[in-house]
Amino acid sequence: MPRCDWKPELSGYRPCRWKLALVGVGVLCTGGFLLLLLYWMPEWCVKATCIRTTVRDAQVVLLRSTDEFKRWFRAKVRVMLAPGRNPYISLDSQTTTPMANGHTPHPSNTSADGFMRKYIRYFTLHSTKYYWNDAIQNFEVLTGLEDLGVRCSTIHLEHSAGLSQNQQEYRRLFFGVNEIAVKVPSLFKLLIKEVLNPFYIFQLFSVILWSADEYYYYAMAIVLMSVISIATSLYTIKKQYVMLHDMVAAHSIVRVSVCRANIEEAMSTDLVPGDVMVIPSNGTIMPCDAVLISGTCIVNESMLTGESVPVTKTNLPNPSPAEKGTEDDQVYNIDEHKRHTLFCGTNVIQTRFYSGELVKAVVVRTGFSTAKGQLVRSILYPKPTDFKLYRDAYLFLLCLVGVAGIGFVYSIALSIMNQVTIIIESLDIITITVPPALPAAMTAGIVYAQRRLKRLGIFCISPQRINICGQLNLICFDKTGTLTEDGLDLWGVQRVENGSFHHTEENAYKESLVKSHFVACMATCHSLTKIESQLSGDPLDLKMFEATGWILEEATEEETSLHNRIMPTVVRPPKQLLPEPVMSPEQDMELYELSASYEIGIVRQFPFSSALQRMSVVARLLGEKRMDAYLKGAPEVVASLCKKETVPQDFAEVLEDYTKQGFRVIALAHRRLESKLTWHKVQNINRDHIETNMEFLGLIIMQNKLKAETPGVLEDLKRANIRTVMVTGDNMLTAISVARDCGMIPPQDRVIIADALPPKDGQAARINWRYADNPKTLFYVEDSPEERKPMEQYHFAMSGKSFAVITEHFQDLLQKLVLHGTVFARMAPDQKTQLVETLQSVDYFVGMCGDGANDCGALKRAHGGISLSELEASVASPFTSRTPNISCVPNLIREGRAALITSFCVFKFMALYSIIQYISVTLLYYILSNLGDFQFLFIDIAIILLIVFTMSLNSAWNELVSRRPPSGLISGPLLFSVMTQILICLAFQTFAFLLVRQKSWYEPWTPVSDACSTSSHTNLSENFTEIDEHNIKNYENTTLFYVSSFQYLIVAIVFSKGKPFRQPSYKNCYWKFHLFQIVCVPFEWRLTIVIIVVVNAAVSVLAEVSGVSQTSFHCRRVPKARYMHLAQELSVDPDWPPKPKTTTEAKSPSLPENGSYQIMSAS
């Protein structure tokens, strides 16, 4: 399936009548249980009711995801009637009346206008339509104009006029309404989906069984807990849907101007790929993805990048007729041409046009195919979060079901041997072994953790994620607004005079510097613009310009519309910084004002290029004939473009000193241009002719201020062996600088930048490796002649573009890189999500902390996502913090660890509770007895629920420790612990059961029996005339009730772990115990029971403490996680990490598949 964000395996089926009839009979015979089973298992449902057929003829398709979850989906194939098989054919004058869209088509395939209509087969899954394509004999997704593979010249030539009304309506048949529709399900639908959960179905079975056995009290308690649980869940889910719907609906439907025969007003919902829309001058929220074909726009793309920096979008290049079809006439790609593309959901702040020309854009994608649509879809249909605890819990429950089956067979055998009927009791043993209260018990610890998080200012919309947060061992942080304050601050400047550095100055706002080239470079070399009279642009440029105190003036719309060429932007210093000129008597007033003014016009701008790591401008001082070139960029790059004699000799030492301190350093340079360079020549000159032979001016030192809490929190996480990674939309150098500054990358560690390039001109994809800063010391030192080892730790850094290339062409290298990858810069929203998935693929438990809408996908996909914003990100994020800094992260992990340990304790306790009660009941079944209703009620409510709800109240430990709690139930220590306690409980209950029958006073109990008194029973017999039909009251019952009641308390204490993840149990003031006496037994036997209980407790505690520590010691040696195995492999790999100035090249597909890359030295 091409052009799809996931590639499922697809099979075709068609309904089969005899299979449907058999399933109907099965549903009736099983009382509807078969229907539930088919509802839970889509694969079984399709295979049970349909027969296999070709995909072409399928009426039902069965899809299976190819990821690690192997999920199954079922979709019904529908048919519509349309004039053509794809949306891009020309209809000329045909009318396109929609017919039978999604329903049974009209019998005739010829319309009234005489044109042949064609049947189009499609199905819908996850808000995406898949259309049948005869050419590839498969279903495919239509994304938009990119499907055609159009070149830039074709967009200008064939698509700039817009669509006719007929063509627009025809395309809308395929692409649908341009709307990102988030449907809020009704409460009834949500209720049905919730109550059909297997646990609730089992609870329903248990309640019916208890009611038949007249055990109403506990049944009512379980029903009440289930109702509360369902109501809470429904409220949370409904609230999430409403929040997402409101977020998406805001500004999603607007009125737009589109080009038909003339310019007409239309609703944005009517837009289709190929439409041409006019961007209003006062701005708009983009309702689709569109490529600019005329004019320029200033756009706020914070929804996509998280950086609230206005970006200038220019029109798509229109190659000359001679260049059409050549390499210069590129195929339009939304990623490669994003500088010319307006994305859905972004805010167009302002437009600019010249000579009265309108700002137009061709619609490229609509609906869920847009950038915003894909973001919303990732929130609506996230991949399931796999957690070993829940998988193991189901396996554990299956084991309990097996034990229940043995008990069921045992009870049936007893009933046959003794010729009595105990069918209800036999079924009841199943509800004893698999406790229906387990979901409520497991939820208790999570609910208490949720309350504690709320007190810490952390709100949770997905409570099940709290447990998973206890396992987090890697946290991805967004940078801007998360680790740092917004933007950069100017720390100081260091000018160069006569080839040597001047002393550091705090700012350049001085009268002595106002006419210097250094200040002129600061004032002109930027990409700032004015929006509603406010300066706007890159934060670095803004801080640099503000430090000069100069004033920027731009030409108005009226001025630009009167000229064919762009009026230059002018900058000038404030008058108070200029020296007062002396006016001579013969000087004219106008000439005096001209000489008094000092203005610089920006004639040409070469924008910042991340590949070149620099930007430059050509400017001219008012009254001067010759122009000046000003350059700013990465210090090493700028220095390499300057005359050697102008660069200070200690340049490298000074630069390294600043970078080690975590500063962002920018270098400036200047060059006086030749007089022959006129305005027209400058407009057409290549930047390489300008950016050469420069004079080095000095350094600007910028500081991206960290939030006060950031270094301390990162240090806490580091001590707890929790890895930290930065994932940002900002540029690479700033990100590395901040990573060093906050301690994410220690000063002594090396940063290796992986610069990946896609295949081009027949060359394979390659990765160039380089250091982020030039190291003075060697990376390797020799301890002995035969031994060479790395001297320092290393970290990989890469951009979003490099990440995309590595993901596509270096799959087996990707996992090695993320193992030490610390800085990921210029990452798009979907790339952030991909990174989280890659980290999860090597068995990391990944947390994500961010504050922007661009983080939504990653926040949803991570095991634990926490948003520092209550806006868009909070809709997707399981957790939202009211504290706008990362101090919430360790708090969340601490509470997660406490909740996880509580879940283990509760699960172990509930399992033992079931087995203890199971042992008691099976022993009593041997004498055709059972526990009484009030005994069950006392055990289940007064003891079990009370213990469960109080043992869950232990709060989290005060600090993060380096150890993590276990992630699964199926582990050596845990199984040993549970099995040991089961055997101990079985031994002591069996011993008590047999011992009581050996006592001298023992006799089969009757209403007149009284072992506590030897007096006559005559008077008693008159009062006890009621017959005990169920044989509840007897000495064995009372003995087992006493012993088992204490066993519940013993295992609760044994399993209730404290330090280092929870506060100890003695600090839990709600921990209380109760006892309930049923039948009178002699004092001597009471003492015997106490001794049995005390010995039982001692043995249980001893077994738990010694046994678990021994098994833990033996089970801890072998690393299980993939990232641990990978780290071990790389530690002995002599070629890892790659050396700087080397290249890794992807191998040709024709080569043997023993690896997908090869390392080469730089030439």
Side-chain angles (χ1 to χ4, degrees):
M1 279 193 194
R3 299 189 292 277
C4 184
D5 57 353
W6 69 304
K7 296 184 174 70
E9 297 169 354
L10 187 144
S11 306
Y13 289 85
R14 58 183 175 84
C16 175
R17 289 182 182 178
W18 66 266
K19 280 192 173 186
L20 284 167
L22 275 179
V23 168
V25 173
V27 169
L28 290 172
C29 294
T30 58
F33 181 73
L34 180 60
L35 196 63
L36 278 173
L37 198 61
L38 297 180
Y39 170 78
W40 294 328
M41 311 290 287
E43 178 199 6
W44 292 8
C45 179
V46 172
K47 290 181 178 179
T49 59
C50 303
I51 56 173
R52 191 75 178 263
T53 185
T54 61
V55 178
R56 180 191 179 90
D57 301 321
Q59 295 177 37
V60 175
V61 288
L62 184 65
L63 301 101
R64 189 188 189 195
S65 66
T66 51
D67 56 20
E68 67 272 26
F69 301 105
K70 306 296 180 187
R71 293 168 296 158
W72 291 94
F73 301 97
R74 174 183 179 274
K76 184 179 178 182
V77 177
R78 298 181 180 274
V79 180
M80 73 175 183
L81 211 52
R85 293 204 177 277
N86 75 72
Y88 306 112
I89 63 168
S90 176
L91 292 182
D92 299 323
S93 60
Q94 291 185 42
T95 56
T96 59
T97 307
M99 298 183 68
N101 190 357
H103 304 285
T104 306
H106 193 275
S108 171
N109 63 352
T110 305
S111 63
D113 54 19
F115 289 98
M116 292 290 291
R117 306 283 181 178
K118 296 177 178 62
Y119 293 114
I120 309 296
R121 303 173 68 254
Y122 71 96
F123 68 88
T124 305
L125 183 70
H126 291 173
S127 301
T128 303
K129 281 188 177 180
Y130 296 77
Y131 289 95
W132 178 256
N133 186 330
D134 275 326
I136 62 172
Q137 286 294 298
N138 206 343
F139 287 93
E140 67 171 353
V141 180
L142 298 174
T143 55
L145 214 57
E146 287 174 288
D147 296 337
L148 295 172
V150 290
R151 294 185 178 273
C152 296
S153 60
T154 309
I155 291 178
H156 281 281
L157 186 66
E158 298 177 12
H159 298 276
S160 58
L163 301 175
S164 66
Q165 187 68 34
N166 285 348
Q167 196 74 33
Q168 188 268 341
E169 287 179 5
Y170 169 60
R171 285 194 182 179
R172 203 164 64 211
L173 280 177
F174 289 87
F175 292 105
V177 176
N178 175 34
E179 185 180 9
I180 303 168
V182 178
K183 294 178 182 177
V184 180
S186 65
L187 275 174
F188 179 73
K189 281 186 179 178
L190 290 174
L191 177 65
I192 295 298
K193 190 175 180 181
E194 188 71 17
V195 297
L196 291 181
N197 183 294
F199 265 122
Y200 288 124
I201 297 298
F202 180 67
Q203 283 185 338
L204 178 64
F205 164 75
S206 303
V207 167
I208 293 170
L209 188 64
W210 295 330
S211 301
D213 201 20
E214 299 178 355
Y215 186 30
Y216 301 117
Y217 305 102
Y218 189 56
M220 288 170 61
I222 290 295
V223 167
L224 183 63
M225 283 191 293
S226 299
V227 167
I228 293 170
S229 174
I230 290 169
T232 306
S233 180
L234 288 182
Y235 172 77
T236 305
I237 295 169
K238 181 85 172 177
K239 186 180 176 184
Q240 279 183 266
Y241 269 111
V242 170
M243 285 174 66
L244 184 59
H245 175 269
D246 292 346
M247 182 196 90
V248 173
H251 312 295
S252 63
I253 301 175
V254 293
R255 291 199 70 82
V256 293
S257 298
V258 291
C259 298
R260 299 271 185 256
N262 299 304
I263 293 175
E264 327 176 337
E265 288 285 312
M267 295 303 295
S268 59
T269 49
D270 295 335
L271 293 173
V272 294
D275 265 329
V276 174
M277 63 180 290
V278 178
I279 312 296
S281 58
N282 58 347
T284 185
I285 302 287
M286 285 300 295
C288 58
D289 289 351
V291 58
L292 271 174
I293 54 171
S294 63
T296 60
C297 292
I298 297 168
V299 186
N300 184 338
E301 290 190 329
S302 59
M303 192 214 77
L304 290 178
T305 63
E307 310 294 321
S308 55
V309 177
V311 180
T312 301
K313 300 280 186 172
T314 57
N315 60 302
L316 190 71
N318 187 8
S320 63
E323 294 173 329
K324 286 179 183 177
T326 64
E327 289 182 4
D328 294 326
D329 187 11
Q330 296 178 337
V331 173
Y332 173 75
N333 180 283
I334 205 162
D335 295 317
E336 291 180 12
H337 294 93
K338 61 184 178 182
R339 283 178 174 268
H340 316 292
T341 306
L342 305 172
F343 292 100
C344 180
T346 58
N347 184 11
V348 178
I349 304 167
Q350 182 178 300
T351 64
R352 289 183 180 172
F353 54 90
Y354 307 101
S355 303
E357 188 180 6
L358 293 174
V359 178
K360 294 179 182 178
V362 177
V363 176
V364 179
R365 294 178 180 178
T366 58
F368 276 98
S369 296
T370 62
K372 184 179 179 181
Q374 289 171 6
L375 183 63
V376 173
R377 198 168 57 193
S378 71
I379 298 169
L380 281 173
Y381 313 106
K383 284 185 180 179
T385 302
D386 190 26
F387 192 38
K388 200 169 184 292
L389 171 65
Y390 300 132
R391 280 187 282 120
D392 289 355
Y394 283 110
L395 287 175
F396 214 92
L397 285 174
L398 283 175
C399 295
L400 291 179
V401 169
V403 173
I406 295 168
F408 180 76
V409 172
Y410 164 76
S411 61
I412 293 293
L414 280 177
S415 68
I416 293 169
M417 288 168 59
N418 293 282
Q419 296 181 351
V420 294
T421 305
I422 51 171
I423 294 298
I424 292 178
E425 287 81 358
S426 300
L427 291 171
D428 196 32
I429 207 164
I430 296 173
T431 65
I432 288 170
T433 317
V434 185
L438 182 61
M442 294 286 285
T443 304
I446 296 171
V447 170
Y448 294 140
Q450 194 174 359
R451 286 183 184 173
R452 290 194 294 269
L453 285 172
K454 193 172 182 180
R455 286 198 292 270
L456 293 169
I458 301 171
F459 296 88
C460 175
I461 61 172
S462 182
Q464 294 302 324
R465 295 288 185 107
I466 298 175
N467 269 343
I468 303 177
C469 289
Q471 278 293 308
L472 297 182
N473 56 1
L474 185 147
I475 310 292
C476 296
F477 290 100
D478 181 36
K479 182 184 72 68
T480 310
T482 303
L483 297 173
T484 67
E485 304 289 352
D486 287 326
L488 291 157
D489 290 308
L490 183 74
W491 182 82
V493 298
Q494 191 156 14
R495 294 182 295 116
V496 169
E497 290 182 355
N498 301 321
S500 61
F501 278 114
H502 203 264
H503 62 274
T504 307
E505 299 162 279
E506 283 189 19
N507 58 62
Y509 188 76
K510 297 177 181 177
E511 188 176 326
S512 58
L513 297 178
V514 70
K515 292 190 177 183
S516 67
H517 285 302
F518 188 91
V519 172
C521 186
M522 290 177 68
T524 57
C525 199
H526 53 71
S527 56
L528 299 177
T529 186
K530 276 197 171 181
I531 299 171
E532 295 178 358
S533 303
Q534 291 292 318
L535 270 179
S536 191
D538 188 284
L540 186 148
D541 288 348
L542 202 56
K543 287 289 181 184
M544 181 182 73
F545 184 76
E546 286 173 351
T548 64
W550 284 39
I551 299 158
L552 181 140
E553 292 178 351
E554 287 183 321
T556 62
E557 280 186 18
E558 290 77 14
E559 288 173 326
T560 55
S561 63
L562 294 172
H563 297 79
N564 287 325
R565 65 189 191 195
I566 301 171
M567 292 289 287
T569 299
V570 173
V571 293
R572 55 182 173 80
K575 288 185 178 179
Q576 58 267 30
L577 284 182
L578 289 171
E580 193 69 33
V582 181
M583 182 179 177
S584 57
E586 66 276 4
Q587 193 171 17
D588 185 83
M589 191 66 185
E590 287 185 10
L591 290 174
Y592 169 75
E593 287 179 358
L594 188 64
S595 63
S597 63
Y598 186 84
E599 293 182 356
I600 301 176
I602 302 169
V603 178
R604 175 87 190 272
Q605 184 185 96
F606 297 99
F608 177 80
S609 164
S610 54
L612 299 175
Q613 296 185 359
R614 64 182 185 265
M615 78 162 290
S616 60
V617 294
V618 176
R620 184 166 65 182
L621 181 64
L622 184 67
E624 288 281 337
K625 288 185 178 180
R626 291 174 69 179
M627 298 183 190
D628 295 280
Y630 294 105
L631 172 75
K632 84 168 192 306
E636 298 93 341
V637 174
V638 172
S640 68
L641 298 172
C642 292
K643 299 174 186 174
K644 285 187 178 179
E645 62 271 16
T646 66
V647 180
Q649 291 184 350
D650 58 346
F651 166 77
E653 290 82 357
V654 171
L655 176 61
E656 186 172 8
D657 183 51
Y658 283 129
T659 52
K660 284 281 177 67
Q661 295 177 60
F663 291 114
R664 170 81 188 277
V665 183
I666 304 295
L668 306 182
H670 161 260
R671 176 185 159 203
R672 187 83 162 160
L673 295 179
E674 300 81 2
S675 55
K676 65 179 181 181
L677 279 176
T678 63
W679 190 94
H680 287 287
K681 285 182 180 178
V682 166
Q683 298 308 312
N684 298 307
I685 199 169
N686 191 299
R687 69 187 298 168
D688 293 335
H689 295 293
I690 299 291
E691 297 168 347
T692 183
N693 211 26
M694 312 285 284
E695 292 181 8
F696 195 79
L697 294 177
L699 304 173
I700 299 175
I701 303 100
M702 310 292 288
Q703 185 179 31
N704 196 183
K705 279 188 180 177
L706 292 170
K707 289 183 177 179
E709 301 81 7
T710 297
V713 170
L714 294 181
E715 183 60 33
D716 289 344
L717 294 174
K718 187 178 179 182
R719 277 199 301 268
N721 280 342
I722 296 172
R723 196 179 140 201
T724 52
V725 170
M726 186 187 297
V727 191
T728 177
D730 207 346
N731 71 64
M732 176 80 76
L733 294 175
T734 304
I736 293 172
S737 168
V738 171
R740 285 198 183 280
D741 204 17
C742 68
M744 197 176 280
I745 300 175
Q748 71 276 10
D749 289 4
R750 294 295 185 192
V751 178
I752 304 171
I753 294 177
D755 189 12
L757 303 171
K760 192 175 182 181
D761 300 331
Q763 290 186 340
R766 58 177 58 211
I767 306 172
N768 296 322
W769 308 95
R770 58 188 173 88
Y771 280 139
D773 46 7
N774 292 323
K776 284 178 66 179
T777 55
L778 292 173
F779 188 75
Y780 285 86
V781 294
E782 294 187 12
D783 286 352
S784 60
E786 67 277 356
E787 185 181 359
R788 295 176 75 245
K789 64 176 185 179
M791 190 181 76
E792 299 159 327
Q793 293 294 320
Y794 60 92
H795 304 258
F796 288 112
M798 67 188 77
S799 66
K801 282 185 178 179
S802 295
F803 181 77
V805 173
I806 291 167
T807 303
E808 185 176 354
H809 300 283
F810 299 89
Q811 268 294 328
D812 47 352
L813 196 62
L814 181 62
Q815 292 188 343
K816 295 180 181 181
L817 286 172
V818 298
L819 197 66
H820 284 276
T822 303
V823 175
F824 296 85
R826 295 293 187 208
M827 296 287 277
D830 60 323
Q831 289 177 328
K832 290 186 178 186
T833 309
Q834 285 174 20
L835 175 63
V836 169
E837 290 175 355
T838 305
L839 291 166
Q840 289 172 337
S841 73
V842 290
D843 294 340
Y844 275 113
F845 283 89
V846 183
M848 173 74 195
C849 184
D851 67 333
N854 64 311
D855 300 317
C856 285
L859 288 168
K860 189 82 172 178
R861 183 68 190 98
H863 290 106
I866 182 163
S867 165
L868 304 186
S869 161
E870 294 186 43
L871 301 175
E872 295 100 331
S874 65
V875 178
S877 177
F879 303 94
T880 303
S881 172
R882 280 192 175 170
T883 310
N885 59 62
I886 64 169
S887 61
C888 56
V889 174
N891 288 335
L892 177 61
I893 297 173
R894 284 192 306 107
E895 290 296 345
R897 288 181 173 185
L900 183 56
I901 287 296
T902 299
S903 293
F904 281 119
C905 295
V906 169
F907 198 94
K908 287 164 68 177
F909 172 72
M910 292 298 285
L912 259 294
Y913 143 65
S914 300
I915 297 297
I916 290 169
Q917 199 170 77
Y918 172 81
I919 293 167
S920 301
V921 170
T922 48
L923 286 171
L924 289 173
Y925 276 8
Y926 181 74
I927 59 169
L928 300 180
S929 180
N930 199 353
L931 292 172
D933 286 354
F934 282 99
Q935 286 177 321
F936 273 125
L937 193 67
F938 175 76
I939 292 170
D940 291 344
I941 293 180
I943 294 183
I944 303 305
L945 291 184
L946 186 66
I947 288 174
V948 164
F949 291 139
T950 52
M951 79 187 294
S952 301
L953 285 168
N954 294 36
S955 55
W957 191 247
N958 296 325
E959 60 184 35
L960 278 177
V961 294
S962 56
R963 261 178 61 205
R964 283 188 301 140
S967 60
L969 288 165
I970 311 298
S971 62
L974 194 140
L975 289 176
F976 181 85
S977 166
V978 170
M979 292 307 298
T980 305
Q981 297 302 328
I982 288 173
L983 293 173
I984 291 169
C985 291
L986 173 63
F988 279 95
Q989 276 202 54
T990 307
F991 174 73
F993 179 79
L994 295 174
L995 187 61
V996 71
R997 295 167 69 92
Q998 304 301 319
K999 292 297 176 182
S1000 58
W1001 44 265
Y1002 174 82
E1003 63 178 2
W1005 194 88
T1006 63
V1008 296
S1009 299
D1010 187 2
C1012 297
S1013 174
T1014 56
S1015 60
S1016 174
H1017 305 313
T1018 308
N1019 296 331
L1020 291 169
S1021 62
E1022 295 175 3
N1023 299 326
F1024 291 93
T1025 56
E1026 187 179 339
I1027 298 172
D1028 185 8
E1029 293 179 358
H1030 297 289
N1031 189 22
I1032 301 298
K1033 295 180 180 179
N1034 52 62
Y1035 296 117
E1036 292 92 335
N1037 174 297
T1038 302
T1039 299
L1040 292 181
F1041 176 73
Y1042 270 126
V1043 173
S1044 64
S1045 294
F1046 277 106
Q1047 283 182 336
Y1048 299 131
L1049 305 178
I1050 290 165
V1051 295
I1053 294 168
V1054 166
F1055 288 155
S1056 190
K1057 303 287 191 223
K1059 187 179 177 182
F1061 304 117
R1062 300 198 307 167
Q1063 295 291 349
S1065 296
Y1066 62 79
K1067 289 191 177 183
N1068 186 347
C1069 60
Y1070 296 100
W1071 194 258
K1072 300 176 182 178
F1073 304 117
H1074 295 265
L1075 198 61
F1076 186 71
Q1077 186 175 345
I1078 297 298
V1079 176
C1080 186
V1081 292
F1083 181 74
E1084 167 209 342
W1085 184 240
R1086 297 181 197 179
L1087 284 177
T1088 306
I1089 289 175
V1090 169
I1091 293 169
I1092 290 172
V1093 167
V1094 169
V1095 174
N1096 188 342
V1099 173
S1100 292
V1101 171
L1102 190 65
E1104 180 72 10
V1105 172
S1106 61
V1108 171
S1109 62
Q1110 286 295 319
T1111 50
S1112 297
F1113 176 76
H1114 290 296
C1115 293
R1116 203 179 292 155
R1117 296 184 179 180
V1118 182
K1120 293 182 179 179
R1122 269 177 267 183
Y1123 70 87
M1124 291 181 180
H1125 287 295
L1126 203 55
Q1128 285 183 345
E1129 289 173 18
L1130 294 180
S1131 65
V1132 294
D1133 187 345
D1135 294 324
W1136 195 264
K1139 309 298 184 294
K1141 297 184 180 178
T1142 59
T1143 299
T1144 301
E1145 188 173 285
K1147 286 187 177 179
S1148 169
S1150 60
L1151 291 175
E1153 291 188 4
N1154 58 351
S1156 67
Y1157 61 89
Q1158 54 188 352
I1159 297 175
M1160 306 183 301
S1161 298
S1163 55

